[in-house]
Amino acid sequence: MALNLEERLVTSRPGSLAWYQRAQRSIAGAIGHDARYVTPFTTYIERAEGAYKWDVDGNRYLDYQVGNGALLLGHAHPAVVEAVVKAAPLGLHFGNDHPLQVQWAEQIQQLVPCAELVRFTNSGTESNMLACRLARAYTGRGKILRFEGHFHGWHDDLVRGFLPPFQASPSIGVAPGALDATVMVPANDLSSVERALANDKDLAAVILEPSGASWCTVPLVPGFLQGLRDLTIRFGVLLIFDEVITGFRWAPGGAQQRFGVVPDLSTHAKIVAGGMPGAAVCGKAEIMDLLRITGDSQHDRYQRVLHYGTFNANPISAAAGLVTLKIAQSGEPQRQADAMAERLRSGLDQILARRGVAGYAYGESSTFHIYLEKPSGRKVKDREALRSIDANILKGMPGELVRALQNGFRARGVELMSYNGGMTSAAHTEAMVDETVVIFDDLVAAMVATGLVATLS
């Protein structure tokens, strides 16, 4: 099936193939982001609007990638486009602070529970770098506790732990000793967290995705976030929520609002800048004040956290972010996106049940994931038994199934996020979701016919 699909993609998308081949001669690795790597080649997009995008060959896709989760309102939302068009002629980059920066920060303060003060950065990776630096400076300790499978960017400080085997570095070239600055524990195990905090007095903070690993690919069990909050308070350790994806998506105030657990610091990107480059760190004033320049040479050289960034809070990102967050404040975009994701998860799950496939659809808020098993010696009698298997198996869905799922959808005009799922936006409708379910039914039928997926015994 995979070969036939790839032949179909090559035949129907010669423009994308040509651009990919051209990129191999000019772009290192031939792609701009590791998550964009797909075989036989990546899709080259020409334009996008609402919940759709079109590639250079004119093929239309129902988009569940939504800018890697950055587009809560969908592509090219008119109010966001208007804000960018209005701001651009005034100057793309001032090299100075400007009124939109302050208004943007004030809007974030209104929404995010922990945001007593805000500092802007340019990406989620940068925000997590700064949050960890603040935590180490505030506590005077050197290590960060993190969880297996949770992703916090590609920088050396937190690069270990999101890919199995979790104790190994996922990349060569990481600075010597960087891996020693993090302590790894399994998620959903508060006793492991308690032991780590009790035994290692050099832990400055606990950081996690409050959705669970890799935007809810491996969900957290109920009560885990509150348990972490209790433990970090007890041991005098900071709690950092990586809300790069959950921020303003799980609720107007993010996961911390939705679950009622307020961290000491939270990091934000994607939606915070309305789909433009931009990010932020939010937190308690006493921690964030470590960034303050006082004019005292001794203090400013030795007692504060250093932070630069040429494009921090650039006026175009500020304009897009401000209008996006004002729209998101009502909660209506989140309600629409959540409802469409729930409808989609239900529809996908019904297809798997009807066709007797060993798999299921799941997710939280406006996300969805699809888990499938390939034929093997292990027999699964029913889908409830499958759901009871250790959640970490979800990190190991066979590569050939991921490839078939992604290419099968792509060939039928649907684009997923990397791996096994995607996200909805406020631009997705019931008709779009129902169309996706019909497409999935056709795809699953083909996968069953070719023996790619396991069926229930």
Side-chain angles (χ1 to χ4, degrees):
M1 178 184 175
L3 180 61
N4 291 335
L5 277 175
E6 289 173 15
E7 288 177 339
R8 181 176 168 184
L9 289 168
V10 169
T11 301
S12 61
R13 291 154 175 81
S16 281
L17 176 58
W19 278 108
Y20 180 66
Q21 292 170 335
R22 184 170 169 179
Q24 290 176 321
R25 301 190 293 271
S26 60
I27 297 176
I31 50 176
H33 185 312
D34 282 1
R36 297 176 194 166
Y37 176 79
V38 292
T39 53
F41 53 86
T42 189
T43 303
Y44 275 76
I45 298 299
E46 192 167 60
R47 65 185 181 93
E49 182 179 356
Y52 291 108
K53 55 190 179 185
W54 289 261
D55 67 20
V56 293
D57 296 291
N59 297 296
R60 190 188 74 175
Y61 301 86
L62 252 173
D63 184 26
Y64 292 104
Q65 190 182 85
V66 291
N68 295 105
L71 303 173
L72 175 65
L73 306 181
H75 292 281
H77 187 280
V80 179
V81 172
E82 181 183 3
V84 170
V85 169
K86 182 179 178 181
L90 301 177
L92 300 181
H93 178 48
F94 303 136
N96 295 85
D97 287 338
H98 52 90
L100 278 176
Q101 173 187 355
V102 179
Q103 294 172 46
W104 192 15
E106 290 172 343
Q107 185 65 34
I108 293 169
Q109 285 179 310
Q110 290 182 41
L111 298 178
V112 177
C114 81
E116 294 178 8
L117 289 172
V118 178
R119 183 77 168 215
F120 290 107
T121 68
N122 291 294
S123 70
T125 289
E126 286 187 33
S127 287
N128 284 322
M129 290 170 63
L130 180 57
C132 288
R133 180 176 289 183
L134 283 164
R136 290 191 293 263
Y138 182 77
T139 62
R141 303 169 196 161
K143 296 180 184 177
I144 305 294
L145 187 146
R146 55 160 304 168
F147 296 95
E148 295 173 351
H150 289 231
F151 181 70
H152 305 296
W154 57 269
H155 56 95
D156 288 3
D157 280 0
L158 294 170
V159 71
R160 181 182 67 169
F162 79 95
L163 290 175
F166 296 120
Q167 294 297 332
S169 173
S171 175
I172 60 174
V174 174
L179 301 185
D180 297 332
T182 56
V183 173
M184 296 294 307
V185 295
N188 292 322
D189 185 351
L190 288 173
S191 60
S192 292
V193 177
E194 184 173 15
R195 284 193 299 272
L197 294 177
N199 294 333
D200 195 330
K201 302 305 181 184
D202 196 33
L203 284 168
V206 175
I207 189 170
L208 80 161
E209 292 181 78
S211 61
S214 299
W215 52 283
C216 202
T217 298
V218 185
L220 296 176
V221 297
F224 186 73
L225 292 177
Q226 185 60 57
L228 278 183
R229 179 70 284 186
D230 295 341
L231 285 171
T232 51
I233 290 173
R234 179 176 142 202
F235 285 96
V237 172
L238 300 188
L239 180 61
I240 305 171
F241 277 7
D242 180 340
E243 295 232 45
V244 168
I245 285 181
T246 58
F248 316 104
R249 179 173 287 277
W250 259 235
Q256 54 194 279
Q257 179 190 2
R258 183 163 181 151
F259 299 125
V261 178
V262 181
D264 299 294
L265 296 167
S266 62
T267 59
H268 302 262
K270 301 187 187 294
I271 293 170
V272 76
M276 294 292 291
V281 178
C282 304
K284 293 181 177 179
E286 61 184 311
I287 303 170
M288 301 295 287
D289 266 338
L290 289 167
L291 290 158
R292 188 180 302 277
I293 299 174
T294 66
D296 179 276
S297 58
Q298 181 71 17
H299 171 274
D300 293 348
R301 176 61 182 86
Y302 298 107
Q303 295 174 274
R304 66 172 296 271
V305 168
L306 186 76
H307 176 235
Y308 290 100
T310 296
F311 293 100
N312 293 346
N314 76 83
I316 309 304
S317 295
L322 178 58
V323 71
T324 297
L325 297 186
K326 284 183 175 180
I327 295 171
Q329 185 170 6
S330 70
E332 185 53 38
Q334 295 87 344
R335 284 189 287 272
Q336 173 68 13
D338 282 9
M340 293 305 98
E342 174 57 33
R343 186 182 184 94
L344 181 57
R345 291 191 297 262
S346 177
L348 299 176
D349 210 45
Q350 289 173 25
I351 296 299
L352 294 171
R354 180 165 58 80
R355 292 197 174 272
V357 171
Y360 56 93
Y362 67 102
E364 187 176 90
S365 185
S366 49
T367 72
F368 68 94
H369 298 275
I370 301 165
Y371 178 68
L372 302 171
E373 285 211 346
K374 68 176 183 178
S376 66
R378 185 166 67 91
K379 300 295 184 183
V380 181
K381 293 183 178 180
D382 57 60
R383 295 196 314 135
E384 289 308 310
L386 182 66
R387 288 177 188 271
S388 70
I389 296 170
D390 184 350
N392 280 311
I393 197 172
L394 303 178
K395 296 299 291 182
M397 192 165 116
E400 59 267 38
L401 284 183
V402 174
R403 183 170 170 176
L405 191 67
Q406 289 181 342
N407 280 338
F409 267 124
R410 183 157 59 135
R412 292 167 172 83
V414 175
E415 182 154 277
L416 303 181
M417 288 270 280
S418 60
Y419 194 52
N420 70 334
M423 302 183 197
T424 53
S425 73
H428 286 82
T429 66
E430 291 185 356
M432 294 172 184
V433 166
D434 294 346
E435 178 185 352
T436 305
V437 172
V438 171
I439 289 169
F440 184 62
D441 191 18
D442 180 64
L443 172 56
V444 170
M447 295 175 81
V448 170
T450 52
L452 270 175
V453 291
T455 52
L456 299 174
S457 58

